[in-house]
Amino acid sequence: QVQLVESGGGSVQAGESLRLSCAASGSIYSLYMGWFRQAPGKEREGVAAIDSNGRTTYADSAKGRFTISTDSAKNTLLLQMNSLKPEDTAMYYCAADRVNWAFWPRYKSWGQGTQVTVSS
């Protein structure tokens, strides 16, 4: 079970971009990984996921604006977020497991989260 640490969150204006990183304590080869977010008073929701073959899945809210990728050499999961909107404001979490949970929040490993705030 890997340990995960997110970084890259911050406060931006609508339309700007952020790049989130999730550093894993060990190899991410063969892991299924995902990005989730949770806004105050709302349930945690899946944003983007990537399987062990590099296939990606996006929530409708993220399609065309967010890109999930991995840097296996650095054991890092990335989320490039463009054209940010105020409704993207949330705590963002990365997750990893050897099971493909996609957007089901059953992953074994979770980071502590990084806050993204988008103002209009």
Side-chain angles (χ1 to χ4, degrees):
Q1 186 170 338
V2 294
Q3 306 298 313
L4 304 172
V5 179
E6 301 96 335
S7 61
S11 296
V12 297
Q13 297 287 320
E16 294 184 342
S17 299
L18 280 174
R19 189 189 195 203
L20 305 184
S21 296
C22 171
S25 60
S27 175
I28 63 173
Y29 180 76
S30 81
L31 291 182
Y32 296 88
M33 305 188 76
W35 285 100
F36 290 74
R37 66 186 183 187
Q38 187 167 19
K42 294 188 177 181
E43 292 186 355
R44 189 169 296 192
E45 63 176 358
V47 174
I50 187 166
D51 70 13
S52 58
N53 292 311
R55 289 185 292 249
T56 57
T57 304
Y58 295 94
D60 287 343
S61 59
K63 287 178 181 176
R65 299 188 301 127
F66 295 3
T67 302
I68 187 172
S69 62
T70 58
D71 184 338
S72 296
K74 297 182 179 179
N75 295 324
T76 299
L77 178 71
L78 303 168
L79 185 68
Q80 178 68 40
M81 304 188 296
N82 299 328
S83 302
L84 283 162
K85 305 175 181 180
E87 51 262 45
D88 294 319
T89 296
M91 185 71 78
Y92 282 71
Y93 301 88
C94 64
D97 204 329
R98 297 195 178 279
V99 176
N100 187 6
W101 294 110
F103 289 160
W104 188 245
R106 298 293 301 274
Y107 291 77
K108 284 189 177 179
S109 298
W110 290 86
Q112 83 290 347
T114 185
Q115 178 68 38
V116 172
T117 303
V118 185
S119 57
S120 58

